């Protein structure tokens, strides 16, 4: 299987983390899937992804002390494989795993994704649990000094141990049986532990063997630019930032990160700017809030993510979408850049302003994105000499957020609000 | 001017450093130019580049103690601009600079390049010399703590100082008058000093203003991958390694460096693997020697440089070329990858073997380069699944070093000598 | 209790590690104790220390794969406290712990020491075991991301957790009941984990509370010189090197380490050069060998350790002592520096030679140690100007290894064999 | 000569830098000397030290752009040795150097010190100036890549170059002729350049040869604790902090620095806390101000400097001393700790409070210094168990700043104002 065909354009979907943290349950997942099928699917949104700790008991119950309760009960089969906790996912009972939920989602013509942590459960290693397809046991492939610095569930696997590949193979065999379409593997992208690089290869091999086109997403970032070839060769998307949230201080460095990774966006290979922090957020974190970005900052985020062609994963609970946010997430012209633009390139970047261009792949047109990083409305000059190399054909063009036609002259500068952006097709 | 049009394909030429170090003189440059015009030009070779210290007196005379004699006499005009030392370049007398020599080279239908050090001469700063086009003097733009760690000639320039851009402008105004086609700026690519990044921009601006298409080459490496956008935007080529010499220990890491930079090879933008250390070398260093690479290692070097599409600069004295080396440098099929291949990509890399593929841009064909890094002859398997994505059309294909036709079957592995390479067009 | 009175002079004893690794058993410990009581005690040797893994089952049985078998059975009481494994220590049966063995050793007028790892057993954390004196359980004080990089037994303790001090208190309450005189705590001295600094304080508090004068030894090194005050305030000895073995490449840097720590040797405060790797070594490591040091290097090691006043712990099995080694370990004059010298100071250090001086505290005499670091016999000049500041009184003096009187003149240089040393009292 | 006899107790004096920066002149130096002789000498103050740039012309005239004007005129003799600029020091005319001024100061029974920069003048290197006592010239011993990062005057010297030691010898021969008693060498203590370590040794050798007891002070800090032996062996005092100024943020970390260096205070060896920033400050920096420390912070600074036994150098212009500041600088009891206390040791340090103790060397008494680091008045408990080890004999004792007798009971805590200190003799 050619993994680059699993995701020809950047994946678009919903992820449970930003709103639910570790607490999301089956009912909530279904509600989001139903909403997506009805209201968002036609705009390209298709993945429903359950994030971290679906296997854990009592998740969220010690939120004052722990995001991830250490040394706690997790659901696990006899082969050291984590299963959905039936407290949260009743349909998983009798060892059915995520199969029923995946089927529900597939019946809505959507795709189903899950999050996993790199490695093998600590509980399995201490209990010497079996591994499917080998006579080695969990303690023989687990590395006691290879841990995640922020989550206590797993031990990393010794890549050279007999049985290590068998373990990863057994995971994806199970996920293929369930009908999983997308796996976000965590504690692996940043390669905090040296084995991570080899474990990415093992994930790739396991997917190749499982016979199902499962998109592989790596987290958390920042990914290491000097390992770009490795990500491109073995994965479909990789996070280029640590967890992104709705703060300008986090949005600002995304311009530098996108500059860094711009030459690496290709079919089946997508540097990932992380979830869209829009709408209602944070309920599972214990203090639900409304997105802290100004409307202009939201437009800036989406403009950058779209012209760069990052995967897009919505972080809010979809059933709570307000009209403004829904409007952002259903702008066909803007979202269209994911599926029919290419060659995006930063033209200029200073502390005050940023300019990007790209080309449409379906018609003879180009895109021009202009960002004002200042705290006040500013005139951002168009660097025509560079922009014109993008084969700009249409003038007047269309500003895609407002939908208005814009007569841009060569000497023009564009007026942009504080922290805002304009995106022209021309 | 669009700097990407200055060098549409990777520059090919000769550079004085590897053979002459700091001692090359006018007669020697002319001899190399004549040889190139007669024997190499038809294969694409066209640049004649004079490397470091053409302005210095007595260069090479203290070779036991100093490669670059500190606190020594240099030739300089009243505007703080270095001129050719007439000891070595008699035609530069009467302030003519390199104009006569450039004319000689142009008359051979070749191009003329020079090396410069970042910054302004220390002598100028201490003497408070003038700068053309401003009333500021050298001491006002020189930064006394901004020096090169390995060469004593210059002070870095304060980018924010009034007169700094005027100084760089005045340099390129002079070089344009001389007829310079190529400038290799040293002590700048690795950005050892923080001002280097800004000085690259100042060089770019100076070239834009001078009105002549001067190719800008940055040295020494390794270039910083996180500054890729900056190099691409302001320069034509940038060194991805520190000084390269004829040792396997230096050739081996080039595979990793080429992996790192493979996505950054574009028209007008060429990551640079450094000079070809072939034939006779090192006379100016005081101990002339014959290239230490085995023949197989020489083929490995050229195969990698060519499929990667590095600029090619010959390091030996051309008049001393032996038949074997000349054969390497006049293989039309291999050198052709520089001008009519694209999309080169590493397919595999381990400690034992490396595989690259690319596509021909003129005809429906692909290239397959296979390298054996082992100390012994080995069978290197062809990863057909990945290779076949390169649209391989011709089977049997041609091995470009031997010229032999090769019937490659899907299950084939290729026998390659120790440290050797095969390059197929198919 | 004033911890500086627990060890007024540097502790001298035997440690099981260098010969037995993780495998030492009761019979072997007793045999070494008997030997020490009979042959070495009169020369100042008094501690019998059981090193790592006395609580572990099957230790040494997977030596080809693991020095410390991960996820394995350990002996532990209901309060998360490790107990001696009865496989190896039969007298520990019925919960008696090390009490019977300590009594045996005390009856020989020797002192008894044990090794512990920083933290609480991983098994206890996963099993939610109780902690004596608090209602908190092991999982509540263990930190899942605070581990030892080289040993899989424990989790570090969260210093701020309620119950953390109670846990350490409960350990030393038990050790005091057993009759432990010396605790070597491992994975703590180098402060690889940030909590280590606080855990040292917790160990100190636990010893203060337990009512028994237990010497606290910290391992492994190198200790951090910038934390010298902390070690001095809370511990009795701390390792200034990582594990020391019988290789000249490890002995050579000890001169630099001793220079670094020379101002920190005081009553109750001893920077520790690690075990004496003499005689037979390594049986438990699977390949018993004879000390790789030349006789001259052995003298160099002992001379440095003694003039510096490091604690001395013999690494070989005492029952196998050959005459030469025994001679080294029973040289009263040399060993006397530990108990009645002070103010040791490096006078000179170059790549070729080292000179130290110190003063006798009982009589009007000084010490002069001279080391030849060269690969050949050399003349090492005496720096009399500096040496004479040490109040040298006796000339002729005595060379303490040979026992010969030496008439040293002011102009003298001393002939010393390759890698050898001379130690004069004068 | 035994350099430890040059400064048996920590030097006390005045330094021109904090008030005058680079601008101090002969008249001002004399005024300060006269004031010291009349008002401060009896309290132990004796050094008059002229800080940086006494050889430079027009110093301070470009203060908006440069503290140290680059590429400017300096006074220098034919042997590459800097001389006082007669603009500022008229008595230096006719090559007399500082001899007349030193004589003036000696006639007041005070001692005379000067500041120098490590290395040889850049001007000398570029002009190939002679060096006394060798046929080598400045360019032959200067290292063009060995510079100071913050001052443009000098090149570092190649320690291995013939003539290098001769240069340093020639400097101190001149200083001995002038009658210099104290040399503060800058750009050397922190060892920013690798040669600095060797240059310290060369300074030591030059002093030994010059035949005059010249105290050697090294700057700037922080000194490297791992080089403690080197400082102790070759210098008399070395800065343990970068430039210290009157800001609480700089005073606070001095507690950590003093902890670090407490074991290294000995006769002739003084870790240096830097100048006392009291009274009027900063005129030469262009914006004269009154010390920003509160009175309590001033007491804290002096208490720490005195119990630690740092050298004391007054930074203000003495002729402007106000009564409060003068009172601080003439407290015989407090200043007495420099000459007759020893064994100072930090007892406790937290973010809130610090306690130090030391012993009197003349009488049976101890010292107790207590510091309140909090922003508010606090009760600081006395750690009697540790304090009593200092042989406290007198109770009631005396608080040395207030002069009041204090009846301290074992259960007492001391009330101390915000950022304040108490110093008891008891």
């Amino acid at each position: 299987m050619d993994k680059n065909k699993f995701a020809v354009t950047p994946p678009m979907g919903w992820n449970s983390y930003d709103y639910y943290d570790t607490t999301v349950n089956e009912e909530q997942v279904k509600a989001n899937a139903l909403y997506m099928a009805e209201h968002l699917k036609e705009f390209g949104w298709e993945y429903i992804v359950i994030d971290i700790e679906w296997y854990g008991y009592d998740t969220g119950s010690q939120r004052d002390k722990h995001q991830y309760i250490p040394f706690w009960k997790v659901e696990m089969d006899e082969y050291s494989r984590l299963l959905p906790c039936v407290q949260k996912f009743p349909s998983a009972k009798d060892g059915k795993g995520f199969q029923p939920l995946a089927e529900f989602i597939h019946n809505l013509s959507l795709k189903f994704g899950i999050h996993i942590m790199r490695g093998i459960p600590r509980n399995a290693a201490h209990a010497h649990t079996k591994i499917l397809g080998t006579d080695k046991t969990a303690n023989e492939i687990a590395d006691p000094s290879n841990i995640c610095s922020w989550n206590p569930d797993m031990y990393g696997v010794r890549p050279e141990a007999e049985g290590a590949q068998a373990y990863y193979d057994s995971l994806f065999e199970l996920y293929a049986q369930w009908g999983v379409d997308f796996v976000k593997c965590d504690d692996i992208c940043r390669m905090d532990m040296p084995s991570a690089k080899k474990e990415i290869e093992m994930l790739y091999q396991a997917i190749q063997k499982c016979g199902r086109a499962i998109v592989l997403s790596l987290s958390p970032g920042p990914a290491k630019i000097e390992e770009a070839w490795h990500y491109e060769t073995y994965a479909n998307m990789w996070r280029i930032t640590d967890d992104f949230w709705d703060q300008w201080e986090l949005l600002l460095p995304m311009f530098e990160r996108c500059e860094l990774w711009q030459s690496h966006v290709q079919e089946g290979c997508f540097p990932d700017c992380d979830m869209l922090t829009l709408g209602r957020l944070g309920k599972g974190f214990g203090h639900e809030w409304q997105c802290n970005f100004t409307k202009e900052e939201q437009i800036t985020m989406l403009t950058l993510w779209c012209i760069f062609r990052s995967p897009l994963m919505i972080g809010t609970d979809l059933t709570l979408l307000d009209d403004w946010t829904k409007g952002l997430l259903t702008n066909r012209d803007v979202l269209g850049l994911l599926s029919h633009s290419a060659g995006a390139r930063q033209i200029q970047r200073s502390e005050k302003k940023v300019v990007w261009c790209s080309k449409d792949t379906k018609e003879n047109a180009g895109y021009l994105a202009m960002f004002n990083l200042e705290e006040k409305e500013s005139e951002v000059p168009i660097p025509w000499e560079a922009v014109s190399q993008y084969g700009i054909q249409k003038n007047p063009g269309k500003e895609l957020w407002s939908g208005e036609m814009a007569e841009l002259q060569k000497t023009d500068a564009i007026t942009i609000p504080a922290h805002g952006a304009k995106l022209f097709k021309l």
Side-chain angles (χ1 to χ4, degrees), chain A:
Chain A
M1 294 193 293
D2 178 359
K3 68 96 185 158
N4 289 339
K5 301 303 183 196
F6 299 176
V8 173
T9 60
M12 297 171 63
W14 171 84
N15 177 297
S16 62
Y17 185 76
D18 283 355
Y19 189 73
Y20 288 107
D21 187 19
T22 60
T23 68
V24 73
N25 64 30
E26 184 166 356
E27 187 179 9
Q28 292 156 347
V29 172
K30 285 182 170 177
N32 275 276
L34 285 167
Y35 185 95
M36 181 181 284
E38 186 169 357
H39 300 291
L40 300 178
K41 187 175 180 315
E42 63 177 304
F43 299 92
W45 305 94
E46 58 178 344
Y47 287 90
I48 294 288
V49 182
I50 300 176
D51 212 278
I52 198 162
E53 293 288 333
W54 42 262
Y55 46 77
Y57 279 75
D58 308 325
T59 47
S61 66
Q62 298 186 24
R63 204 58 185 76
D64 54 329
K65 281 185 295 187
H66 303 291
Q67 183 174 14
Y68 311 112
I69 310 174
F71 319 117
W72 217 250
K73 184 179 177 187
V74 295
E75 196 67 46
M76 193 169 77
D77 75 6
E78 63 176 319
Y79 293 117
S80 310
R81 299 182 296 191
L82 294 168
L83 300 178
C85 167
V86 291
Q87 278 183 341
K88 292 180 288 191
F89 299 94
S91 74
K93 68 174 191 297
D94 305 330
K96 289 188 193 141
F98 274 133
Q99 192 278 328
L101 184 52
E103 187 175 325
F104 176 89
I105 287 166
H106 290 153
N107 285 341
L108 296 170
S109 297
L110 300 176
K111 292 181 174 169
F112 177 59
I114 59 171
H115 170 283
I116 62 171
M117 295 295 301
R118 178 183 67 89
I120 191 163
R122 293 200 193 186
N123 288 352
H126 286 278
H128 298 202
T129 315
K130 285 188 289 183
I131 297 169
L132 187 64
T134 174
D135 59 358
K136 298 296 168 185
T137 47
N139 55 304
E140 293 177 279
I141 71 164
D143 178 350
S145 66
N146 184 335
I147 61 173
C148 173
S149 64
W150 47 269
N151 177 288
D153 297 343
M154 317 298 270
Y155 287 121
V157 156
R158 302 181 201 266
E160 73 287 0
E162 196 188 327
Q165 183 66 52
Y167 167 69
Y168 277 118
D169 291 348
S170 78
L171 291 186
F172 282 81
E173 183 183 323
L174 182 64
Y175 302 156
Q177 286 166 13
W178 288 348
V180 171
D181 303 298
F182 180 105
V183 166
K184 173 184 176 182
C185 185
D186 221 333
D187 184 36
I188 197 162
C189 185
R190 203 165 49 203
M191 300 184 183
D192 292 339
M193 288 282 156
S195 70
K197 193 169 170 180
K198 276 286 177 191
E199 290 181 274
I200 292 171
E201 294 179 41
M202 293 165 84
L203 291 168
Y204 170 84
Q205 297 297 344
I207 293 172
Q208 289 290 317
K209 292 180 192 170
C210 86
R212 187 173 175 93
I214 298 179
V215 170
L216 180 58
S217 164
L218 306 179
S219 203
K224 299 165 83 167
I225 186 67
E226 63 271 24
E227 296 291 354
W229 181 83
H230 199 265
Y231 301 120
E232 291 166 12
T233 304
Y234 299 114
N236 295 109
M237 45 193 275
W238 49 90
R239 283 265 299 280
I240 62 173
T241 174
D242 201 344
D243 285 8
F244 181 79
W245 284 102
D246 47 336
Q247 301 163 16
W248 179 247
E249 298 69 35
L250 293 174
L251 182 47
L252 202 52
M254 293 307 295
F255 287 96
E256 188 173 353
R257 298 183 191 284
C258 287
E259 174 195 309
L260 186 65
W261 285 96
Q262 62 183 330
S263 300
H264 299 276
V265 180
Q266 305 164 64
E267 187 180 281
C269 297
F270 300 105
D272 176 6
C273 292
D274 201 7
M275 266 98 80
L276 298 169
T277 50
L278 295 169
R280 304 297 297 170
L281 297 165
K283 184 185 178 190
F285 293 85
H287 50 113
E288 186 173 347
W289 70 86
Q290 183 66 26
C291 171
N292 285 309
F293 282 139
T294 64
K295 288 185 174 180
E296 295 300 341
E297 290 166 345
Q298 296 176 39
I299 284 172
T300 287
M301 171 176 70
L302 271 164
T303 303
L304 180 61
W305 271 229
C306 286
I307 197 162
F308 177 77
R309 299 182 72 231
S310 170
L312 298 183
M313 292 284 163
I314 302 169
T316 189
D317 187 281
L318 298 177
T319 66
L320 303 174
L321 268 186
D322 58 276
D323 287 349
W324 159 262
T325 309
K326 188 176 176 186
L328 295 177
L329 299 175
T330 55
N331 184 320
R332 250 184 241 281
D333 284 339
V334 174
L335 296 175
L337 273 82
L338 268 67
S339 54
H340 53 81
S341 75
R345 190 147 185 84
Q346 179 185 286
I347 302 300
Q348 285 189 342
R349 182 167 64 86
S350 71
E351 290 184 6
K352 297 188 171 180
K353 57 181 187 289
V354 176
V355 177
W356 281 69
C357 280
S358 71
K359 290 185 182 172
D360 197 287
T361 55
K362 280 203 204 150
E363 55 181 305
N364 199 350
Y367 295 95
L368 168 64
M370 305 189 70
F371 303 90
N372 173 20
L373 309 186
E374 295 196 80
E375 302 292 323
K376 58 176 172 48
E377 183 182 281
S378 301
E379 301 284 297
V380 179
I382 305 176
W384 276 113
E385 185 171 340
V387 168
S388 62
Q389 293 171 28
Y390 278 77
I392 304 303
Q393 304 295 330
K394 300 172 182 181
N395 206 340
K398 186 179 178 184
E399 202 289 314
L400 300 184
W401 288 111
S402 64
E404 291 171 6
M405 297 311 287
E407 187 82 41
L408 303 176
Q409 302 301 332
K410 287 222 171 187
T411 54
D412 262 2
I414 307 296
T415 305
I416 306 180
H419 293 186
K422 300 272 185 190
L423 175 57
F424 300 97
K425 180 174 185 178
L426 71 181

